Amino acid sequence: MKIAIDTMGGDQAPQVVIQGVEQARDQFQDLEFLLFGDEKQIKKYLQNSDRVTIVPTQSVILGTDEPLKAIRHKKDSSMVMAAQAVKAGQADALFSLGNSGALLAAGIFIIGRLKNIMRPALMPTLPAMNSKQGFSFLDAGANAEVKVNYLKQWAVMGFFYAREVKEIAHPRVGLLNNGTEYDKGDSLHKEAYQALSKLPNINFIGNVEATNLLEGVADVVITDGFTGNATLKAIEGTAKTIMSQLKKALLNNGLRPKIGALLAKPALASIKTTFDVAAYGGAVLMGVKAPVVKAHGAADARTVYYALVQLRMMYNKGMLQQVIEYFDQQPQK
């Protein structure tokens, strides 16, 4: 497998990107990499060039760039050239820490949508207390407005991802709603519930509430991109605030809390492991013709490594081909 890497995206690029690439390269003999970016900077951090090819680029898509304009006018950028390599068959997958909107646009307009897929969706994996694999969550921001057919297709793709990549035998698929009853929500959600219930060979378990997401109530949770992005940010913000307050309470209030913190260290370490989002890799752009993964701009080398492991699993399991075959066999409306 050959992976095209946008080395210039992210807050600590290209250093952490190259460190993660080399860790994956050293771990897996079946991986090769095309590193797109500033050749001088890449060589500064690259330890050895085994199974690595540097492709020099002239510009970088910034986080402040307007996505569509960026991919149209910065054709010599590391992200666009990496996406073009995938489109041309020179690479099998794409990875970036860069501008989320630009990567979505590059995936959709350069690499292209899968046959029969109406709208690609962005799918991160979030932690869950009762699941080592966490749960797949889509759409997390690519489509603010949706149709029932979009949700149906995302349910199928999320199901195949959870089954093949996460190796969950029969993944549970839930629809995010404001209640678990079948008749909850607006007309879109009521119609979606009925449509999802009729999907062949997909384990739809019904509506799920945001309250229970981190308990692992489902392996795949689908929603519109507006709600998904807001939910994702609420979860991230709440977790950050709680951990900050916990640390402050345990370490800044005298000897007794510090002793308690020491005694509670094993339990706190277990919680930290459960909510170690780096181990889940990045967010997958589901519905395009090749595996595309986006990790957070502030990600470290560990996150890059796990994202590349994630891409390798998607490729080796033939997940996209299974999605194609599923939709070929189902009448599209």
Side-chain angles (χ1 to χ4, degrees):
M1 181 186 186
K2 188 174 290 186
I3 304 176
I5 307 289
D6 167 21
T7 67
M8 307 309 293
D11 300 345
Q12 303 176 70
Q15 183 176 5
V16 297
V17 179
I18 293 168
Q19 288 172 345
V21 165
E22 291 207 287
Q23 186 179 352
R25 186 268 318 276
D26 295 343
Q27 179 72 29
F28 302 104
Q29 296 299 311
D30 59 349
L31 291 183
E32 297 181 35
F33 298 92
L34 295 178
L35 304 185
F36 292 82
D38 185 307
E39 185 174 13
K40 185 177 180 180
Q41 290 193 54
I42 293 173
K43 287 183 175 179
K44 178 180 177 181
Y45 297 107
L46 188 64
Q47 298 297 309
N48 72 73
S49 58
D50 182 35
R51 283 180 280 123
V52 170
T53 301
I54 298 173
V55 183
T57 61
Q58 302 302 314
S59 66
V60 178
I61 292 179
L62 306 175
T64 54
D65 286 341
E66 196 281 319
L68 280 175
K69 285 184 179 179
I71 66 167
R72 286 172 180 165
H73 299 297
K74 291 189 174 182
K75 296 185 184 299
D76 59 352
S77 66
S78 52
M79 183 186 292
V80 170
M81 289 182 64
Q84 290 285 6
V86 176
K87 179 183 179 181
Q90 298 165 354
D92 304 300
L94 172 62
F95 172 77
S96 177
L97 299 177
N99 184 311
S100 298
L103 187 64
L104 289 172
I108 294 169
F109 296 111
I110 297 177
I111 297 173
R113 289 181 294 139
L114 280 173
K115 179 184 177 183
N116 294 322
I117 297 299
M118 298 173 183
R119 292 288 180 89
L122 194 62
M123 185 186 75
T125 295
L126 301 181
M129 292 299 295
N130 300 317
S131 171
K132 293 181 179 179
Q133 297 99 335
F135 67 96
S136 300
F137 188 57
L138 70 167
D139 179 21
N143 305 272
E145 297 181 4
V146 303
K147 297 180 179 179
V148 170
N149 281 340
Y150 301 173
L151 296 171
K152 287 171 58 180
Q153 293 188 341
W154 299 343
V156 172
M157 291 190 289
F159 178 86
F160 276 106
Y161 180 88
R163 192 182 71 181
E164 301 303 323
V165 179
K166 294 185 178 181
E167 299 180 332
I168 301 172
H170 204 42
R172 301 160 297 159
V173 179
L175 173 66
L176 186 62
N177 207 335
N178 63 344
T180 57
E181 297 87 351
Y182 75 95
D183 57 349
K184 278 287 186 178
D186 56 16
S187 57
L188 173 71
H189 285 79
K190 292 176 182 178
E191 184 182 348
Y193 184 102
Q194 297 300 323
L196 291 166
S197 300
K198 298 173 184 177
L199 281 175
N201 305 317
I202 303 299
N203 183 22
F204 178 61
I205 62 170
N207 293 323
V208 296
E209 295 184 273
T211 309
N212 308 116
L213 290 181
L214 299 186
E215 296 175 5
V217 66
D219 302 302
V220 179
V221 176
I222 56 172
T223 185
D224 63 90
F226 180 88
T227 304
N229 192 262
T231 302
L232 179 63
K233 289 176 178 176
I235 291 173
E236 290 175 340
T238 301
K240 184 177 180 180
T241 300
I242 289 175
M243 293 307 294
S244 175
Q245 289 300 109
L246 181 60
K247 184 177 180 180
K248 181 178 178 180
L250 291 174
L251 300 180
N252 298 328
N253 292 310
L255 182 60
R256 184 176 292 179
K258 291 181 180 178
I259 293 173
L262 183 63
L263 294 173
K265 190 174 181 179
L268 295 175
S270 176
I271 294 174
K272 183 179 179 181
T273 299
T274 299
F275 289 91
D276 179 18
V277 294
Y280 297 122
V284 182
L285 180 57
M286 300 294 286
V288 292
K289 292 179 180 178
V292 176
V293 166
K294 163 75 172 76
H296 196 282
D300 58 13
R302 282 183 68 245
T303 305
V304 174
Y305 165 77
Y306 282 115
L308 298 176
V309 173
Q310 181 182 18
L311 282 168
R312 178 178 178 270
M313 286 286 286
M314 289 180 68
Y315 180 80
N316 287 345
K317 293 286 188 175
M319 192 208 80
L320 294 183
Q321 186 58 39
Q322 293 186 48
V323 170
I324 291 170
E325 291 173 0
Y326 180 96
F327 287 113
D328 280 345
Q329 294 169 6
Q330 305 301 323
Q332 302 299 308
K333 296 181 180 180

